[in-house]
Amino acid sequence: MNRLAPSILSADFSRLIDDIAAIEDAGAQAIHIDVMDGNFVPNISFGSRVMKSLLGKTRLPFDVHLMVADPDRYIKDFVTDNTEIITVHQEACIHLHRTLQSIKSFGIKAGVSLNPSTSPLTLEYIFEELDYLLIMSVNPGFGGQKFIPSALDKIKAVSDMKRRRNPDMIIAVDGGITLENVRQVTEAGANLIIAGSSVFDSPDVGGQVKKFLALVSD
Ligand code: DX5
Ligand code: ZN
């Protein structure tokens, strides 16, 4: 089943819990947590304390996207009862195999994200280790950017690799996803859809979630 994980990067931080209640009530299946350090990406978002403030207030699992240099230093901070996935960037990890084992040692799914210019071939010798592969369809750092169409070819390529080598792996896509292009993304093979501005910039956040779910449910 395809799932939707709205990214709270575009939520109203002054009323974050209300925005989360809106997506949860409307049926979203996870919360995407974008952590940016102003170093790996040219923007700063929030850290683990903000994420932890949601504990006990939502039943939704956390899909943590670490856009930070040297992610090994921070993995433990994001381990909570709600944390389902922790994703690191291929481009930020010198010892990627070790980093994935470290995430798994906490009983959490280990994910890798690829920037738009990074080839899936960089994961050739680690593919079977991946619980989750996050294809960036914008250059990471900001919400509200335009979808880069070559991401569709990359999703197709990794979904072929998934069929042959790692059928249980989740393929997620992140950046510039709208009600207009989401079907193309799921048809290419993505099964977890991340959407920020197209959910939270709407005056009717719950209504947007329902529209997305109607399009992505299979
Ligand atoms: C980008 C983040 C995305 C972002 C998506 O660096 O990783 O998760 O919040 O936002 P939209 O859907 O607005 O492109
Ligand atoms: Zn993200």
Side-chain angles (χ1 to χ4, degrees), residues 39-120:
N39 184 5
F40 179 70
V41 290
N43 194 12
I44 296 173
S45 58
F46 50 79
S48 60
R49 194 160 170 270
V50 169
M51 185 189 90
K52 285 175 174 162
S53 74
L54 305 174
L55 290 171
K57 305 211 166 87
T58 177
R59 283 197 303 271
L60 291 178
F62 299 154
D63 165 30
V64 178
H65 181 190
L66 294 180
M67 287 163 278
V68 304
D70 200 3
D72 298 276
R73 289 172 61 196
Y74 304 101
I75 287 165
K76 198 164 183 287
D77 293 348
F78 289 89
V79 175
T80 70
D81 287 346
N82 284 43
T83 309
E84 178 190 349
I85 302 156
I86 296 181
T87 298
V88 295
H89 267 262
Q90 186 276 344
E91 304 84 3
C93 293
I94 297 172
H95 303 292
L96 183 58
H97 184 275
R98 180 185 290 154
T99 303
L100 296 182
Q101 305 316 315
S102 156
I103 296 170
K104 289 180 185 185
S105 74
F106 294 104
I108 285 172
K109 290 193 178 98
V112 172
S113 181
L114 297 178
N115 281 339
S117 67
T118 305
S119 168

Side-chain angles (χ1 to χ4, degrees), residues 137-139 143-149 175-177 181:
S137 39
V138 298
N139 288 294
Q145 304 182 80
K146 205 167 166 310
F147 185 85
I148 298 172
I177 300 194
N181 63 21

Side-chain angles (χ1 to χ4, degrees), residues 178-191:
T178 63
L179 292 171
E180 287 68 42
N181 63 21
V182 70
R183 287 287 303 170
Q184 281 178 286
V185 169
T186 53
E187 279 164 13
N191 36 45

